[in-house]
Amino acid sequence: MAHLVLDHISVHYGNQAQPAVTQASLSVNSGDFVVLVGRSGCGKTTLLNAAAGLIAPNSGSVTVDGKQIKAPGADRAVVFQNDALFPWLNARENIGFALKLRGVAAKERDAAADRLLALVKLEGFGSKAIWELSGGMRQRVGLARALAAEPDFLLMDEPLGALDALTRERMQTLLLDIWAANNIGVLMVTHGIDEALLLATRIVVLAPGPGRVVRQIDAGFGRRYASGETVRSIKADPAFNQARAELEDSIFEGEAA
Amino acid sequence: MTLSADSNRDIPDIAAAGSPRQTGAKVRRASPVTTARIVSALTILALLLAWLVSAHFKLVSPVFLPSPQTVLWKFYSVATTGFVDATLWQHLTASLFRVFAALLFALVVAIPAGIAIGISAVGRGIFDPVIEFLRPIPPLAYLPLIIIWFGIGEPSKILVIAIAMLAPIAISTASGVKGASQDRINAARALGATRFQVILHVILPSALPSILTGLRIALGAGWSTLVAAELVAATRGLGFMIQSAAQFLVTDVVIMGIFVIAIVAFILEIGIRRLERVLVPWSGKE
């Protein structure tokens, strides 16, 4: 059981008048699926990058199990919106990258990569070059590459933002399947209200000017999927619509305040 | 990056568009690439013909412009019996050795320097002024100094060529390093890469297309410098052969030597394009 805690962090980029994020707090535990929502420019990506250790907050602290985070680490693997795969490596080699960094032998790496290719439903695509894959496939390779590091936390910055609607839905259930099968904590940024509701165990609502956390809402639809209910039946539940209305309200309220 | 067929596809065929021949009837036009190739071939033929004609009718004295046949014959005779105590093959290998030894030296020095310029302010502070100082200086200007310092042997010749190659490789490497995607660097760091691993596994491969471009420019610079490098105390080499021939007004050997350099440079250019296709097939595809 691992705990990732962002405690009252503020991030101020040098070239900007007001801070990107001010006094934001949130926590992610193993088994949590925390989703950050809010308008562009409210600091979602900044918070995620701070959790990853890619940027250092000006004040406040980021800790994992009480230990201060100073740099990125394989315990917090990141999936980026534009996959950020390495085009000089094929799909299998991309997935095995984290293991290569640790000095794992090529044979073991490939075996692990092939297991993960199967997990993200890309069997047989291991030898493909990155530019031969579609956007959805690339994003799945990116996900598999992050999972190969066997992270405690999976940090995802709008991982499905660039995908078409149908691919997106399939990826959402894939994310839920992987999250439910592994005891990892997920922190994800999204623009999609429905996506947030469907996936999250907790939704963190942010507001801009300066970026701050305005509300945290518990949600349980992802768990319902994990225990066997279909996405269609979840979305048909009036409770889903009601939750969406509440979430939208809290986003607008946050902005008005 | 490569001058392949794709880059020509959008250029309208001006010659065909301006011709009055098609009136209603559909004329199947050759692709612009084929057109350009045909025009190139015709241009070369025309130049060759002009040379043949002017040599045949002695429009220019044969001392200054020997006929193509004479040059072709020289090619054969120098290849078999040699000129200034070495065959064409020996001249060629001497020059190729110098150019490639220089290239190796330049790569070993300039790629790390380029990386240092690209990733760190200290590196930029150290190497940028040196590179910018060396870049505009013509090789003939520093040749005497190199000879004073390192003597008249082979190392001086290689060094003169290598210095001309440093700047293009270092500058291209630095620009490739700076162009490496921040997302990819962050992805590697988040997967547990150390700073050195990021350089080795992300920044260097990202910069490879750019480094190959630098290598191409450097080879061009190397060939240009070859003649200067072989000015002093050489006994073999294409540049030396051309200069010796010029001193005795053996114009056919001079022209033949120029052609040999052009052909070798052309073959190397094709080799580098092949290398690009093998090493950086992803370049331009993302």
Side-chain angles (χ1 to χ4, degrees):
Chain A
M1 191 79 173
H3 309 273
L4 171 64
V5 179
L6 278 66
D7 188 19
H8 291 89
I9 68 160
S10 298
V11 179
H12 198 155
Y13 296 114
N15 54 357
Q16 277 166 8
Q18 60 179 2
V21 163
T22 180
Q23 299 288 317
S25 299
L26 62 90
S27 68
V28 186
N29 296 331
S30 301
D32 283 353
F33 200 129
V34 178
V35 175
L36 303 175
V37 294
R39 207 170 282 266
S40 301
C42 64
K44 302 188 294 289
T45 297
T46 301
L47 276 182
L48 189 105
N49 284 344
L54 292 169
I55 55 173
N58 298 75
S59 66
S61 70
V62 181
T63 55
V64 170
D65 297 336
K67 269 193 235 151
Q68 191 88 22
I69 293 306
K70 292 194 183 98
D75 60 323
R76 287 152 289 131
V78 183
V79 177
F80 296 84
Q81 178 177 14
N82 68 350
D83 60 64
L85 296 172
F86 308 122
W88 47 89
L89 303 177
N90 66 25
R92 184 181 290 114
E93 291 163 341
N94 263 284
I95 296 171
F97 188 78
L99 301 177
K100 183 160 134 193
L101 296 176
R102 294 173 197 171
V104 175
K107 226 178 202 173
E108 279 176 63
R109 275 186 341 237
D110 288 351
D114 283 336
R115 274 198 305 279
L116 285 160
L117 276 166
L119 183 70
V120 297
K121 303 184 174 67
L122 280 176
E123 291 108 326
F125 286 90
S127 308
K128 289 272 183 200
I130 294 310
W131 67 85
E132 293 174 308
L133 302 175
S134 71
M137 289 174 169
R138 289 170 72 137
Q139 211 47 275
R140 276 184 276 165
V141 173
L143 181 61
R145 181 178 67 175
L147 292 171
E150 295 183 332
D152 296 324
F153 300 97
L154 194 55
L155 312 178
M156 299 190 283
D157 190 0
E158 290 187 49
L160 315 183
L163 305 180
D164 64 81
L166 289 174
T167 313
R168 202 174 171 137
E169 275 182 23
R170 234 179 287 153
M171 283 290 288
Q172 288 168 353
T173 52
L174 179 66
L175 283 179
L176 283 174
D177 288 336
I178 288 170
W179 162 74
N182 302 276
N183 189 34
I184 49 174
V186 177
L187 180 62
M188 173 170 150
V189 168
T190 183
H191 274 120
I193 304 281
D194 279 22
E195 187 166 287
L197 275 174
L198 181 65
L199 299 178
T201 57
R202 193 163 66 256
I203 300 170
V204 177
V205 181
L206 292 134
R212 64 204 185 278
V213 175
V214 290
R215 222 181 135 189
Q216 307 211 20
I217 304 166
D218 286 321
F221 299 106
R223 289 206 201 284
R224 276 166 62 177
Y225 172 86
S227 51
E229 199 174 340
T230 63
V231 171
R232 178 167 297 209
S233 127
I234 291 169
K235 285 191 174 171
D237 186 342
F240 190 83
N241 282 321
Q242 201 186 329
R244 185 203 287 126
E246 275 173 33
L247 178 55
E248 281 173 351
D249 282 349
S250 57
I251 291 174
F252 289 127
E253 273 167 32
E255 282 173 16
Chain B
M1 185 180 296
T2 49
L3 293 169
S4 66
D6 305 50
S7 56
N8 289 332
R9 198 175 290 152
D10 300 333
I11 303 166
D13 190 344
I14 297 161
S19 74
R21 68 195 148 102
Q22 54 287 59
T23 44
K26 273 194 180 172
V27 180
R28 200 179 164 80
R29 277 192 281 156
S31 80
V33 183
T34 326
T35 312
R37 289 223 174 117
I38 292 169
V39 173
S40 299
L42 288 177
T43 308
I44 292 167
L45 272 178
L47 287 171
L48 210 59
L49 199 69
W51 183 12
L52 264 170
V53 169
S54 62
H56 184 76
F57 294 105
K58 302 217 163 21
L59 300 178
V60 184
S61 157
V63 177
F64 298 119
L65 186 67
S67 70
Q69 306 93 294
T70 323
V71 171
L72 209 60
W73 168 248
K74 264 295 155 198
F75 196 85
Y76 174 74
S77 84
V78 176
T80 50
T81 58
F83 181 77
V84 282
D85 299 326
T87 64
L88 181 59
W89 182 247
Q90 288 167 324
H91 286 305
L92 178 62
T93 46
S95 291
L96 278 176
F97 169 75
R98 283 172 195 138
V99 169
F100 277 99
L103 183 65
L104 193 70
F105 178 82
L107 286 175
V108 168
V109 174
I111 290 179
I115 292 173
I117 293 172
I119 61 170
S120 96
V122 176
R124 190 163 62 245
I126 293 171
F127 292 111
D128 231 12
V130 180
I131 298 286
E132 288 304 317
F133 173 75
L134 283 178
R135 195 168 59 90
I137 303 177
L140 275 175
Y142 53 74
L143 175 67
L145 189 64
I146 299 286
I147 288 171
I148 292 169
W149 284 354
F150 298 99
I152 54 171
E154 205 62 18
S156 292
K157 297 180 184 66
I158 293 168
L159 196 59
V160 168
I161 302 173
I163 290 172
M165 291 173 159
L166 287 178
I169 297 175
I171 292 169
S172 303
T173 304
S175 99
V177 166
K178 282 178 202 154
S181 137
Q182 193 59 48
D183 269 358
R184 289 195 184 123
I185 293 170
N186 282 343
R189 292 174 65 206
L191 291 169
T194 62
R195 192 170 155 79
F196 176 74
Q197 282 176 323
V198 168
I199 294 171
L200 187 66
H201 294 302
V202 182
I203 291 178
L204 208 53
S206 298
L208 196 54
S210 191
I211 292 174
L212 284 174
T213 305
L215 191 145
R216 203 155 148 194
I217 301 169
L219 267 182
W223 283 108
S224 321
T225 313
L226 183 70
V227 180
E230 292 177 350
L231 262 176
V232 179
T235 55
R236 266 170 206 184
L238 293 173
F240 164 72
M241 181 185 85
I242 291 173
Q243 286 167 63
S244 318
Q247 276 162 14
F248 302 115
L249 214 64
V250 191
T251 319
D252 42 10
V253 172
V254 174
I255 294 177
M256 188 270 287
I258 290 169
F259 273 114
V260 171
I261 291 180
I263 291 166
V264 171
F266 181 69
I267 292 171
L268 289 177
E269 176 74 23
I270 289 175
I272 292 182
R273 287 189 194 184
R274 288 262 163 86
L275 201 64
E276 279 178 344
R277 239 172 288 158
V278 173
L279 288 181
V280 293
W282 71 87
S283 176
K285 278 187 185 146
E286 328 152 48

